[in-house]
Every structure is written in structure tokens, then in C-alpha cells.
């Protein structure tokens, strides 16, 4: 276990460095003028700050889903994504445990968004923090969702820690990051997800 965590931390730090460099190249060079990045908060409505984060999450989810499926292609998996899947029952330290190819692919979402969506520095930071939280939650290995979540419409929309943990334990299906949309549309959602989720949550709440 300790060796797994060390590996996950080393890979995550290296991948985070690569992704940070990609952001630096866009925001700290002349390329910035070709993006929609803005620094004057009055250029857009104050309401655009949270809306741009939400829009970014929807775009990121689509980007992630199709990149993730590509990384699972048998000719590509062994050269990149296999590093991430060395964690069958991952910890939060595995959130960014990628090799350099996957780190570049994952990190390119920020440049892509900056070229198509107006982002202020505040909303960009919020988007990055949101992605970090969702990744850590997905790799937590423990479900945190409250009891009411199961009977709300959000259960049918949002991913959970159980959702992504199934992806790691089964290696296929549940490719989405934030939402269940693409997995439902493309028929890649694990058919046992609801059953597994209910079993885990029933044990969790009945033991309290």
C-alpha cells in the first residue's frame, strides 16, 4: 500500500508539473492575446464567472470522456493509461497519476477552454480547483454522498466516488468525469453501478 501511494504521488507530481507548463505557455506568452482570457472583471457580467466555470465543466466532461475512451484503446492503453490503472482501488493520490503522454492530453483542456470560452483569472482558478476536487473525490475509495442524494435527480446526472471506483476495479465503462451523460448515451455505463452504490450506501448508513 505504501509503495502504491509513493508511486501515485510521484506520478501525480510529475503530471501536475507538465499540466502547469501547458498553462504557463498559454498565459505567460504572446499566445495569450489569441485566447479569450480577460483580466478586467467588468468586461463580462459578474454572473459570467460561475457560468463560465459551469460551461467549462460541461466541455471538459465531453473532452475527458472521449480522451478517456481513446486511452483505453488496446493499442494505446499499454503505452499510457496503464500507469493510472496500476491503482485498482485508488487513493486520492492517484488523481493525476499519469505518464507524460496522458498528462499532456489531460492538461490540454485548459488551453482548449481558453481559446473558446471567456475566462477571468478567478473563474479559471475555480475551474482548476473544481477539477482537482472532483478527481480527488472520484479516487477517494470512500463514498461521501449524503443519503438524500440517491433519491434526487442529481443521482442520475452526477458521478460519484463509487462510479469511478467501478471504472478502476473493472477497467471498462464509467468513463465520464463530472457527469453520467456520455456513458448513458454511449452505453458505457456499468450496469451494476446502481446496485453497487446502493449496497455501499446501505452498509454505510445502517452502520451509523
Amino acid at each position: 500500500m505504501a509503495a502504491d501511494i509513493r508511486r501515485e504521488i510521484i506520478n501525480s507530481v510529475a503530471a501536475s508539473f507538465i499540466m502547469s507548463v501547458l498553462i504557463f505557455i498559454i498565459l505567460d506568452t504572446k499566445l495569450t492575446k489569441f485566447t479569450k482570457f480577460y483580466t478586467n472583471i467588468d468586461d463580462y457580467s459578474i454572473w459570467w464567472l460561475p457560468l463560465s466555470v459551469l460551461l467549462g465543466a460541461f466541455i471538459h466532461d465531453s473532452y475527458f470522456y472521449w480522451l478517456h475512451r481513446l486511452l483505453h484503446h488496446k493499442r494505446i492503453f499499454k503505452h499510457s493509461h496503464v500507469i493510472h490503472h496500476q491503482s485498482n482501488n485508488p487513493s486520492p493520490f492517484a488523481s493525476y497519476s499519469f505518464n507524460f503522454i496522458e498528462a499532456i492530453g489531460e492538461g490540454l483542456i485548459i488551453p482548449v477552454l481558453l481559446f473558446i470560452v471567456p475566462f477571468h483569472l478567478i473563474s479559471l482558478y475555480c475551474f482548476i480547483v473544481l477539477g482537482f476536487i472532483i478527481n480527488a473525490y472520484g479516487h477517494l475509495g470512500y463514498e461521501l454522498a449524503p443519503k438524500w442524494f440517491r433519491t434526487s435527480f442529481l443521482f442520475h446526472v452526477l458521478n460519484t466516488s463509487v462510479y469511478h471506483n467501478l471504472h478502476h476495479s473493472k477497467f471498462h465503462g464509467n468513463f465520464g468525469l463530472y457527469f453520467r451523460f456520455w456513458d448513458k448515451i454511449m452505453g458505457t455505463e456499468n450496469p451494476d453501478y446502481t446496485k453497487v452504490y446502493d449496497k455501499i450506501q446501505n452498509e454505510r448508513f445502517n452502520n451509523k
Side-chain angles (χ1 to χ4, degrees), residues 48-150:
W48 179 246
L49 292 177
L51 287 175
S52 61
V53 176
L54 183 60
L55 178 59
F58 274 97
I59 295 173
H60 188 195
D61 190 69
S62 297
Y63 179 93
F64 181 90
Y65 176 87
W66 290 106
L67 174 62
H68 200 179
R69 286 199 65 177
L70 177 64
L71 290 171
H72 272 266
H73 189 282
K74 61 183 180 181
R75 294 185 178 178
I76 298 175
F77 182 84
K78 63 182 179 181
H79 298 296
S80 59
H81 199 49
V82 66
I83 297 296
H84 188 67
H85 273 278
Q86 286 177 335
S87 304
N88 293 331
N89 185 25
S91 76
F93 298 110
S95 300
Y96 296 97
S97 183
F98 311 138
N99 83 335
F100 76 96
I101 296 174
E102 184 171 359
I104 292 172
E106 299 284 1
L108 282 175
I109 184 57
I110 299 295
V112 167
L113 285 176
L114 289 174
F115 279 109
I116 61 178
V117 178
F119 265 97
H120 186 271
L121 186 60
I122 293 174
S123 54
L124 182 61
Y125 276 141
C126 289
F127 174 78
I128 292 172
V129 170
L130 174 64
F132 177 83
I133 292 172
I134 293 299
N135 263 296
Y137 169 54
H139 296 87
L140 193 59
Y142 182 81
E143 188 52 66
L144 295 176
K147 192 172 184 179
W148 59 260
F149 180 78
R150 177 65 178 86

Side-chain angles (χ1 to χ4, degrees), residues 37 39 110 177 186:
F37 181 74
T39 56
I110 299 295
L177 179 59
M186 301 306 299

Side-chain angles (χ1 to χ4, degrees), residues 19 26 35 46 53 57 82 94 105 113 117 136 157 163 177 181 194:
M19 292 187 283
I26 296 297
T35 72
I46 192 69
V53 176
V82 66
L113 285 176
V117 178
V157 175
Y163 198 87
L177 179 59
F181 299 137
T194 300

Side-chain angles (χ1 to χ4, degrees), residues 179-191:
F179 310 111
R180 295 172 63 180
F181 299 137
W182 279 112
D183 280 303
K184 286 177 175 292
I185 292 170
M186 301 306 299
T188 53
E189 186 169 88
N190 189 303

